[in-house]
Amino acid sequence: SGTFIFMIAAFKPEQARLAYVEAEGQMKMPFEDKLPTRQEQLATLQNTPEFDVLVVGGGATGAGCALDAVTRNLKTALVERSDFSSGTSSRSTKLIHGGVRYLQKAIMKLDYEQYMMVKEALHERANLLEIAPHLSAPLPIMLPVYKWWQLPYYWAGIKMYDLVAGSHCLKSSYVLSKSKALELFPMLKKDKLVGAIVYYDGQHNDSRMNLAIALAAARYGAAIANYTEVVRLLKMTDSATGKERVCGARCRDVTTGQEFDVRAKCVINATGPFTDSLRKMDNQETANICQPSAGVHIVIPGYYSPDNMGLLDPATSDGRVIFFLPWEKMTIAGTTDTPTDVTAHPIPMEEDINFILSEVRNYLSPDVEVRRGDVLAAWSGIRPLVTDPNSKDTQSICRNHVVSISNTGLVTIAGGKWTTYRSMAEETLDAAIKEHKLPAGPSRTMGLMLEGGKDWTPTLYIRLVQDYGLENEVAQHLAATYGGRAFEVAKMAQVTGKRWPIVGKRLVSEFPYIESEVIYAIKEYACTAIDVIARRTRLGFLNVQAADEALPRIVKIMAKQLDWSEQKKKEELEAAKTFLYQEMGYKARSEQLTKTTEISLTPQEVARYKKRFYKFDKESKGFITTLDVQHVLERLSIQIDENALHEILNEVDLNKNGQVELDEFLQLMSAVQRGQISDSRLAILMKTAEESLDLRGPVSVDRSGGGV
């Protein structure tokens, strides 16, 4: 009970506001105006006799360590074998949160450590919203209540969350009546709804935030390089003690295959799920400390959630928490939690996608049909949970972090969560400085603005519209992505030749991403088309089909900037298509319509769809080609580009023989009816064409030009 009194005492709101660093004035920022290119960064890595710190891993934690080290005036290097944020850091739930469920566990089990973890995370949440205001914002999240007794229980828990946040509480939580809850969230299931509780957490654009941390480190003088992998650790014998010590790493530039040594007084292992592979490079005998768990998320259209309110399902059918959140004008739903093997390319499985969909259905009104075809993208991220090897259930592992130092001086930071990347980095550097006796003062990252944060204001986008003639939506997107650096992107934007917008050609019509962002992405160290669709823009995470459509243009722009050969262009396009297919859920989406799709239609429906099919297949051949569709469209004075028509038919042409057979058409209509497929262009086109033809009636012989 002593622990409990101690916890309650600690609940009192701290009055102390965040101690924002005055230190920015004293800190040198050598690359404030222009970032070094990747080639220049690689040259620095190769030509520096010895760094103080070499960080391995370019995720949130690794980038955080590099920024912490360089702002303490340590000579800092960071290498990442893929792209910054290419692993777990770009595949999160996009929340900056203290962890409501961890607080629940802390109170239920009187677990002081869990409680302190939540308190630290809430402190870090406030800081993160402050240092990157363009990339993050508070988000209200609704917790619907369906049993009267749950109302006081959940209310007390959420109020506790506000109390623990103390002066860092974003906004106070509040209770809603049933009618008010439905007014704010009209898609909610009305039956048995008692009311709702709304609390606030933060939300961010995770891969851009990760990049903002890494670029801030580069501006302060850290040598950072993506696509640079550690082949092995370098060791030497300490003359004073006779012990073997890690003194750097043999690195390989993945893009060219060139190898070189990077020497450093201290090496930090911040490789997330790959923690153990680097620890084993240091010592083959080391026991594993990472127990990876996969979390799948899906993206569905924005109309599934209100613009600015999320939903938390606190008790799913298997006891996990499901979030349902508006993000980048879409809706994210997730997540699952299943033990997994470590892989650089996790794949979202169909059963996980369907599990999330069925949980979503439980909470939404029966009027809203949740269709499998509405899943626009899906991804899986690997949580690097730290554990003692005997634990059975990944859910009960606290997502706290561990800093450990091996006998050879390798510093490992493992576990933790996105929100606490900064305090984890501070703790890691404190341990490294102590172990390696590095000449450095205390951490200076609390309150230190990240890339783009400094000159951002909520009205910055208006200046972009006025100064450059950008579309309103595009200007808002640029301001929210690049902050104060948005003007650099706007300056590169091409003139459209239209009356409005004056500049800014979109990559795809329904998203505000513009072509000049691809050029700017290269300045931000993007090396591949995947870097652009997944982590510089978020197109691949928001809509796989739209990303697929934008790829040829993105590759063309990059090829011009990076001087790619025809062969290289082809490889890039293929690699990006594979990434969308495997890792972003395109495969699971395309498998909804296959040669084995069963036709579950009533005889009346079959008759109705046959009639529609034969309006196109005039000669009763049993199949339709692009020519047949063109004939019908010409009669309706509709023009569609021939390439687009080929694409439309190809989506449905399952045996890829260049034509759509009647059974393929019936399979399509059956899948559309079951909700497995949505937005099928051929289905919608044939339906509207049929309706138009029926309205016109038969064409008289003289009007049709007297043909037979």
Side-chain angles (χ1 to χ4, degrees), residues 446-483:
M446 179 60 83
L448 183 79
M449 297 306 268
L450 300 181
E451 175 84 349
K454 201 165 158 205
D455 303 316
W456 177 85
T457 64
T459 55
L460 177 108
Y461 77 94
I462 298 172
R463 279 179 51 207
L464 289 170
V465 175
Q466 292 175 338
D467 295 0
Y468 293 95
L470 284 159
E471 281 174 88
N472 199 353
E473 192 193 359
V474 170
Q476 283 178 330
H477 151 68
L478 293 181
T481 305
Y482 305 96

mmCIF file of all heavy atoms in Angstrom, residues 446-483:
data_model
loop_
_atom_site.group_PDB
_atom_site.id
_atom_site.type_symbol
_atom_site.label_atom_id
_atom_site.label_comp_id
_atom_site.label_asym_id
_atom_site.label_seq_id
_atom_site.Cartn_x
_atom_site.Cartn_y
_atom_site.Cartn_z
ATOM 1 N N MET A 446 15.604 18.885 -25.080
ATOM 2 C CA MET A 446 14.268 19.268 -24.610
ATOM 3 C C MET A 446 13.954 20.676 -25.123
ATOM 4 O O MET A 446 14.691 21.631 -24.862
ATOM 5 C CB MET A 446 14.237 19.227 -23.077
ATOM 6 C CG MET A 446 12.919 19.636 -22.458
ATOM 7 S SD MET A 446 11.537 18.609 -22.949
ATOM 8 C CE MET A 446 11.708 17.243 -21.842
ATOM 9 N N GLY A 447 12.887 20.788 -25.910
ATOM 10 C CA GLY A 447 12.503 22.094 -26.448
ATOM 11 C C GLY A 447 13.271 22.511 -27.697
ATOM 12 O O GLY A 447 13.056 23.590 -28.239
ATOM 13 N N LEU A 448 14.181 21.659 -28.162
ATOM 14 C CA LEU A 448 14.974 22.000 -29.355
ATOM 15 C C LEU A 448 14.135 21.755 -30.610
ATOM 16 O O LEU A 448 13.693 20.632 -30.850
ATOM 17 C CB LEU A 448 16.229 21.121 -29.389
ATOM 18 C CG LEU A 448 17.205 21.389 -30.531
ATOM 19 C CD1 LEU A 448 18.056 22.610 -30.242
ATOM 20 C CD2 LEU A 448 18.123 20.183 -30.728
ATOM 21 N N MET A 449 13.914 22.803 -31.410
ATOM 22 C CA MET A 449 13.029 22.686 -32.580
ATOM 23 C C MET A 449 13.617 21.730 -33.622
ATOM 24 O O MET A 449 14.813 21.729 -33.882
ATOM 25 C CB MET A 449 12.808 24.053 -33.237
ATOM 26 C CG MET A 449 12.109 25.054 -32.349
ATOM 27 S SD MET A 449 10.547 24.465 -31.688
ATOM 28 C CE MET A 449 9.412 25.040 -32.918
ATOM 29 N N LEU A 450 12.739 20.942 -34.230
ATOM 30 C CA LEU A 450 13.164 20.014 -35.285
ATOM 31 C C LEU A 450 13.057 20.701 -36.644
ATOM 32 O O LEU A 450 12.523 21.809 -36.761
ATOM 33 C CB LEU A 450 12.290 18.754 -35.251
ATOM 34 C CG LEU A 450 12.332 17.946 -33.949
ATOM 35 C CD1 LEU A 450 11.449 16.715 -34.067
ATOM 36 C CD2 LEU A 450 13.760 17.516 -33.593
ATOM 37 N N GLU A 451 13.553 20.003 -37.669
ATOM 38 C CA GLU A 451 13.535 20.520 -39.050
ATOM 39 C C GLU A 451 12.148 21.043 -39.435
ATOM 40 O O GLU A 451 11.153 20.321 -39.349
ATOM 41 C CB GLU A 451 13.934 19.384 -40.000
ATOM 42 C CG GLU A 451 13.848 19.707 -41.474
ATOM 43 C CD GLU A 451 15.091 20.422 -42.006
ATOM 44 O OE1 GLU A 451 15.934 20.845 -41.208
ATOM 45 O OE2 GLU A 451 15.210 20.543 -43.230
ATOM 46 N N GLY A 452 12.084 22.316 -39.846
ATOM 47 C CA GLY A 452 10.812 22.884 -40.326
ATOM 48 C C GLY A 452 9.942 23.477 -39.235
ATOM 49 O O GLY A 452 8.964 24.162 -39.509
ATOM 50 N N GLY A 453 10.283 23.206 -37.969
ATOM 51 C CA GLY A 453 9.407 23.646 -36.879
ATOM 52 C C GLY A 453 9.543 25.117 -36.534
ATOM 53 O O GLY A 453 8.602 25.765 -36.087
ATOM 54 N N LYS A 454 10.740 25.652 -36.777
ATOM 55 C CA LYS A 454 11.070 26.980 -36.270
ATOM 56 C C LYS A 454 10.219 28.102 -36.868
ATOM 57 O O LYS A 454 9.699 28.951 -36.155
ATOM 58 C CB LYS A 454 12.556 27.253 -36.523
ATOM 59 C CG LYS A 454 13.129 28.320 -35.625
ATOM 60 C CD LYS A 454 14.641 28.269 -35.662
ATOM 61 C CE LYS A 454 15.233 29.608 -35.234
ATOM 62 N NZ LYS A 454 16.557 29.778 -35.798
ATOM 63 N N ASP A 455 10.083 28.118 -38.182
ATOM 64 C CA ASP A 455 9.368 29.249 -38.805
ATOM 65 C C ASP A 455 7.927 28.910 -39.155
ATOM 66 O O ASP A 455 7.294 29.620 -39.931
ATOM 67 C CB ASP A 455 10.119 29.686 -40.082
ATOM 68 C CG ASP A 455 11.565 30.040 -39.760
ATOM 69 O OD1 ASP A 455 11.768 30.736 -38.741
ATOM 70 O OD2 ASP A 455 12.477 29.615 -40.486
ATOM 71 N N TRP A 456 7.410 27.821 -38.608
ATOM 72 C CA TRP A 456 6.037 27.438 -38.939
ATOM 73 C C TRP A 456 5.044 28.256 -38.126
ATOM 74 O O TRP A 456 5.257 28.534 -36.947
ATOM 75 C CB TRP A 456 5.818 25.954 -38.647
ATOM 76 C CG TRP A 456 4.406 25.507 -38.906
ATOM 77 C CD1 TRP A 456 3.889 25.118 -40.103
ATOM 78 C CD2 TRP A 456 3.332 25.417 -37.959
ATOM 79 N NE1 TRP A 456 2.554 24.790 -39.960
ATOM 80 C CE2 TRP A 456 2.188 24.976 -38.656
ATOM 81 C CE3 TRP A 456 3.230 25.680 -36.598
ATOM 82 C CZ2 TRP A 456 0.958 24.766 -38.039
ATOM 83 C CZ3 TRP A 456 2.008 25.489 -35.972
ATOM 84 C CH2 TRP A 456 0.881 25.037 -36.694
ATOM 85 N N THR A 457 3.945 28.660 -38.761
ATOM 86 C CA THR A 457 2.817 29.255 -38.039
ATOM 87 C C THR A 457 1.554 28.616 -38.605
ATOM 88 O O THR A 457 1.564 28.134 -39.742
ATOM 89 C CB THR A 457 2.723 30.781 -38.252
ATOM 90 O OG1 THR A 457 2.467 31.014 -39.647
ATOM 91 C CG2 THR A 457 3.997 31.504 -37.837
ATOM 92 N N PRO A 458 0.447 28.636 -37.853
ATOM 93 C CA PRO A 458 -0.781 28.013 -38.370
ATOM 94 C C PRO A 458 -1.298 28.660 -39.656
ATOM 95 O O PRO A 458 -2.066 28.054 -40.390
ATOM 96 C CB PRO A 458 -1.787 28.204 -37.229
ATOM 97 C CG PRO A 458 -0.966 28.457 -36.015
ATOM 98 C CD PRO A 458 0.289 29.127 -36.472
ATOM 99 N N THR A 459 -0.848 29.899 -39.922
ATOM 100 C CA THR A 459 -1.349 30.578 -41.133
ATOM 101 C C THR A 459 -0.312 30.602 -42.257
ATOM 102 O O THR A 459 -0.520 31.273 -43.267
ATOM 103 C CB THR A 459 -1.741 32.034 -40.797
ATOM 104 O OG1 THR A 459 -0.593 32.660 -40.188
ATOM 105 C CG2 THR A 459 -2.910 32.081 -39.833
ATOM 106 N N LEU A 460 0.763 29.864 -42.091
ATOM 107 C CA LEU A 460 1.831 29.852 -43.101
ATOM 108 C C LEU A 460 1.305 29.487 -44.490
ATOM 109 O O LEU A 460 1.731 30.036 -45.500
ATOM 110 C CB LEU A 460 2.900 28.840 -42.669
ATOM 111 C CG LEU A 460 4.063 28.652 -43.637
ATOM 112 C CD1 LEU A 460 5.317 29.294 -43.055
ATOM 113 C CD2 LEU A 460 4.366 27.183 -43.863
ATOM 114 N N TYR A 461 0.334 28.569 -44.539
ATOM 115 C CA TYR A 461 -0.171 28.104 -45.843
ATOM 116 C C TYR A 461 -0.805 29.238 -46.646
ATOM 117 O O TYR A 461 -0.794 29.221 -47.882
ATOM 118 C CB TYR A 461 -1.152 26.939 -45.659
ATOM 119 C CG TYR A 461 -2.532 27.321 -45.200
ATOM 120 C CD1 TYR A 461 -3.555 27.532 -46.122
ATOM 121 C CD2 TYR A 461 -2.822 27.492 -43.847
ATOM 122 C CE1 TYR A 461 -4.827 27.889 -45.703
ATOM 123 C CE2 TYR A 461 -4.089 27.846 -43.429
ATOM 124 C CZ TYR A 461 -5.087 28.053 -44.359
ATOM 125 O OH TYR A 461 -6.340 28.415 -43.963
ATOM 126 N N ILE A 462 -1.347 30.238 -45.952
ATOM 127 C CA ILE A 462 -1.985 31.367 -46.668
ATOM 128 C C ILE A 462 -0.929 32.118 -47.477
ATOM 129 O O ILE A 462 -1.162 32.487 -48.630
ATOM 130 C CB ILE A 462 -2.707 32.311 -45.671
ATOM 131 C CG1 ILE A 462 -3.823 31.539 -44.957
ATOM 132 C CG2 ILE A 462 -3.266 33.543 -46.388
ATOM 133 C CD1 ILE A 462 -4.496 32.285 -43.826
ATOM 134 N N ARG A 463 0.252 32.278 -46.881
ATOM 135 C CA ARG A 463 1.341 32.945 -47.620
ATOM 136 C C ARG A 463 1.740 32.136 -48.844
ATOM 137 O O ARG A 463 2.057 32.689 -49.895
ATOM 138 C CB ARG A 463 2.545 33.156 -46.704
ATOM 139 C CG ARG A 463 2.377 34.395 -45.819
ATOM 140 C CD ARG A 463 3.546 34.588 -44.893
ATOM 141 N NE ARG A 463 4.842 34.548 -45.568
ATOM 142 C CZ ARG A 463 5.968 34.175 -44.967
ATOM 143 N NH1 ARG A 463 5.956 33.782 -43.700
ATOM 144 N NH2 ARG A 463 7.109 34.182 -45.629
ATOM 145 N N LEU A 464 1.723 30.804 -48.711
ATOM 146 C CA LEU A 464 2.078 29.950 -49.861
ATOM 147 C C LEU A 464 1.079 30.140 -51.000
ATOM 148 O O LEU A 464 1.454 30.216 -52.173
ATOM 149 C CB LEU A 464 2.118 28.472 -49.445
ATOM 150 C CG LEU A 464 3.275 28.039 -48.536
ATOM 151 C CD1 LEU A 464 3.040 26.636 -48.010
ATOM 152 C CD2 LEU A 464 4.611 28.080 -49.289
ATOM 153 N N VAL A 465 -0.207 30.227 -50.649
ATOM 154 C CA VAL A 465 -1.246 30.446 -51.668
ATOM 155 C C VAL A 465 -1.038 31.811 -52.316
ATOM 156 O O VAL A 465 -1.048 31.950 -53.544
ATOM 157 C CB VAL A 465 -2.667 30.361 -51.044
ATOM 158 C CG1 VAL A 465 -3.730 30.713 -52.083
ATOM 159 C CG2 VAL A 465 -2.933 28.970 -50.484
ATOM 160 N N GLN A 466 -0.822 32.829 -51.476
ATOM 161 C CA GLN A 466 -0.720 34.203 -51.996
ATOM 162 C C GLN A 466 0.564 34.437 -52.788
ATOM 163 O O GLN A 466 0.546 35.064 -53.836
ATOM 164 C CB GLN A 466 -0.799 35.198 -50.827
ATOM 165 C CG GLN A 466 -2.173 35.226 -50.170
ATOM 166 C CD GLN A 466 -2.214 36.114 -48.932
ATOM 167 O OE1 GLN A 466 -1.179 36.389 -48.320
ATOM 168 N NE2 GLN A 466 -3.402 36.538 -48.552
ATOM 169 N N ASP A 467 1.692 33.927 -52.272
ATOM 170 C CA ASP A 467 2.982 34.207 -52.924
ATOM 171 C C ASP A 467 3.229 33.369 -54.169
ATOM 172 O O ASP A 467 3.925 33.794 -55.083
ATOM 173 C CB ASP A 467 4.150 33.967 -51.945
ATOM 174 C CG ASP A 467 4.124 34.936 -50.775
ATOM 175 O OD1 ASP A 467 3.209 35.781 -50.741
ATOM 176 O OD2 ASP A 467 4.997 34.839 -49.890
ATOM 177 N N TYR A 468 2.681 32.130 -54.193
ATOM 178 C CA TYR A 468 3.040 31.228 -55.294
ATOM 179 C C TYR A 468 1.873 30.805 -56.165
ATOM 180 O O TYR A 468 2.087 30.205 -57.219
ATOM 181 C CB TYR A 468 3.734 29.966 -54.743
ATOM 182 C CG TYR A 468 5.075 30.282 -54.127
ATOM 183 C CD1 TYR A 468 5.190 30.500 -52.759
ATOM 184 C CD2 TYR A 468 6.220 30.401 -54.916
ATOM 185 C CE1 TYR A 468 6.417 30.815 -52.191
ATOM 186 C CE2 TYR A 468 7.450 30.710 -54.353
ATOM 187 C CZ TYR A 468 7.540 30.924 -52.990
ATOM 188 O OH TYR A 468 8.755 31.240 -52.443
ATOM 189 N N GLY A 469 0.634 31.067 -55.715
ATOM 190 C CA GLY A 469 -0.511 30.615 -56.509
ATOM 191 C C GLY A 469 -0.692 29.111 -56.455
ATOM 192 O O GLY A 469 -1.009 28.466 -57.457
ATOM 193 N N LEU A 470 -0.483 28.540 -55.254
ATOM 194 C CA LEU A 470 -0.714 27.103 -55.061
ATOM 195 C C LEU A 470 -2.168 26.884 -54.665
ATOM 196 O O LEU A 470 -2.798 27.759 -54.075
ATOM 197 C CB LEU A 470 0.162 26.582 -53.912
ATOM 198 C CG LEU A 470 1.650 26.378 -54.164
ATOM 199 C CD1 LEU A 470 2.402 26.361 -52.837
ATOM 200 C CD2 LEU A 470 1.907 25.068 -54.897
ATOM 201 N N GLU A 471 -2.698 25.688 -54.960
ATOM 202 C CA GLU A 471 -4.047 25.355 -54.485
ATOM 203 C C GLU A 471 -4.050 25.370 -52.963
ATOM 204 O O GLU A 471 -3.062 24.998 -52.335
ATOM 205 C CB GLU A 471 -4.412 23.923 -54.914
ATOM 206 C CG GLU A 471 -4.851 23.769 -56.331
ATOM 207 C CD GLU A 471 -5.024 22.285 -56.639
ATOM 208 O OE1 GLU A 471 -6.126 21.768 -56.400
ATOM 209 O OE2 GLU A 471 -4.056 21.661 -57.105
ATOM 210 N N ASN A 472 -5.177 25.723 -52.403
ATOM 211 C CA ASN A 472 -5.322 25.787 -50.947
ATOM 212 C C ASN A 472 -4.929 24.458 -50.283
ATOM 213 O O ASN A 472 -4.146 24.419 -49.333
ATOM 214 C CB ASN A 472 -6.794 26.118 -50.639
ATOM 215 C CG ASN A 472 -6.949 26.660 -49.237
ATOM 216 O OD1 ASN A 472 -5.991 26.671 -48.464
ATOM 217 N ND2 ASN A 472 -8.137 27.093 -48.896
ATOM 218 N N GLU A 473 -5.471 23.349 -50.813
ATOM 219 C CA GLU A 473 -5.207 22.034 -50.215
ATOM 220 C C GLU A 473 -3.722 21.679 -50.303
ATOM 221 O O GLU A 473 -3.139 21.132 -49.365
ATOM 222 C CB GLU A 473 -6.053 20.956 -50.928
ATOM 223 C CG GLU A 473 -6.052 19.633 -50.194
ATOM 224 C CD GLU A 473 -6.603 18.458 -51.009
ATOM 225 O OE1 GLU A 473 -7.013 18.656 -52.178
ATOM 226 O OE2 GLU A 473 -6.606 17.338 -50.475
ATOM 227 N N VAL A 474 -3.103 22.001 -51.424
ATOM 228 C CA VAL A 474 -1.671 21.717 -51.610
ATOM 229 C C VAL A 474 -0.843 22.561 -50.639
ATOM 230 O O VAL A 474 0.089 22.071 -49.995
ATOM 231 C CB VAL A 474 -1.241 21.978 -53.077
ATOM 232 C CG1 VAL A 474 0.276 21.933 -53.221
ATOM 233 C CG2 VAL A 474 -1.895 20.961 -54.009
ATOM 234 N N ALA A 475 -1.212 23.835 -50.496
ATOM 235 C CA ALA A 475 -0.479 24.736 -49.593
ATOM 236 C C ALA A 475 -0.574 24.240 -48.146
ATOM 237 O O ALA A 475 0.420 24.230 -47.418
ATOM 238 C CB ALA A 475 -1.032 26.151 -49.711
ATOM 239 N N GLN A 476 -1.765 23.800 -47.751
ATOM 240 C CA GLN A 476 -1.939 23.286 -46.384
ATOM 241 C C GLN A 476 -1.077 22.032 -46.178
ATOM 242 O O GLN A 476 -0.442 21.866 -45.136
ATOM 243 C CB GLN A 476 -3.413 22.961 -46.113
ATOM 244 C CG GLN A 476 -4.225 24.213 -45.859
ATOM 245 C CD GLN A 476 -5.702 23.908 -45.649
ATOM 246 O OE1 GLN A 476 -6.243 22.955 -46.189
ATOM 247 N NE2 GLN A 476 -6.366 24.729 -44.870
ATOM 248 N N HIS A 477 -1.060 21.177 -47.190
ATOM 249 C CA HIS A 477 -0.252 19.958 -47.106
ATOM 250 C C HIS A 477 1.244 20.291 -47.002
ATOM 251 O O HIS A 477 1.960 19.713 -46.183
ATOM 252 C CB HIS A 477 -0.520 19.060 -48.317
ATOM 253 C CG HIS A 477 0.640 18.210 -48.703
ATOM 254 N ND1 HIS A 477 1.105 17.170 -47.912
ATOM 255 C CD2 HIS A 477 1.486 18.269 -49.768
ATOM 256 C CE1 HIS A 477 2.167 16.626 -48.495
ATOM 257 N NE2 HIS A 477 2.419 17.280 -49.603
ATOM 258 N N LEU A 478 1.724 21.230 -47.829
ATOM 259 C CA LEU A 478 3.148 21.585 -47.795
ATOM 260 C C LEU A 478 3.530 22.182 -46.439
ATOM 261 O O LEU A 478 4.572 21.856 -45.876
ATOM 262 C CB LEU A 478 3.501 22.576 -48.916
ATOM 263 C CG LEU A 478 3.405 22.052 -50.358
ATOM 264 C CD1 LEU A 478 3.810 23.134 -51.349
ATOM 265 C CD2 LEU A 478 4.269 20.803 -50.576
ATOM 266 N N ALA A 479 2.663 23.043 -45.909
ATOM 267 C CA ALA A 479 2.948 23.672 -44.612
ATOM 268 C C ALA A 479 2.990 22.617 -43.507
ATOM 269 O O ALA A 479 3.847 22.652 -42.624
ATOM 270 C CB ALA A 479 1.891 24.724 -44.300
ATOM 271 N N ALA A 480 2.077 21.638 -43.581
ATOM 272 C CA ALA A 480 1.998 20.609 -42.535
ATOM 273 C C ALA A 480 3.077 19.541 -42.692
ATOM 274 O O ALA A 480 3.298 18.750 -41.788
ATOM 275 C CB ALA A 480 0.622 19.954 -42.563
ATOM 276 N N THR A 481 3.743 19.507 -43.832
ATOM 277 C CA THR A 481 4.770 18.488 -44.070
ATOM 278 C C THR A 481 6.174 19.054 -43.879
ATOM 279 O O THR A 481 7.026 18.437 -43.263
ATOM 280 C CB THR A 481 4.636 17.907 -45.493
ATOM 281 O OG1 THR A 481 3.306 17.423 -45.652
ATOM 282 C CG2 THR A 481 5.607 16.766 -45.738
ATOM 283 N N TYR A 482 6.387 20.251 -44.431
ATOM 284 C CA TYR A 482 7.740 20.820 -44.428
ATOM 285 C C TYR A 482 7.896 22.002 -43.470
ATOM 286 O O TYR A 482 8.995 22.514 -43.299
ATOM 287 C CB TYR A 482 8.136 21.253 -45.846
ATOM 288 C CG TYR A 482 8.010 20.133 -46.841
ATOM 289 C CD1 TYR A 482 6.860 19.987 -47.623
ATOM 290 C CD2 TYR A 482 9.031 19.190 -46.989
ATOM 291 C CE1 TYR A 482 6.730 18.938 -48.528
ATOM 292 C CE2 TYR A 482 8.908 18.141 -47.891
ATOM 293 C CZ TYR A 482 7.751 18.019 -48.660
ATOM 294 O OH TYR A 482 7.618 16.983 -49.541
ATOM 295 N N GLY A 483 6.783 22.466 -42.872
ATOM 296 C CA GLY A 483 6.863 23.598 -41.943
ATOM 297 C C GLY A 483 7.475 24.806 -42.616
ATOM 298 O O GLY A 483 7.137 25.153 -43.753
#
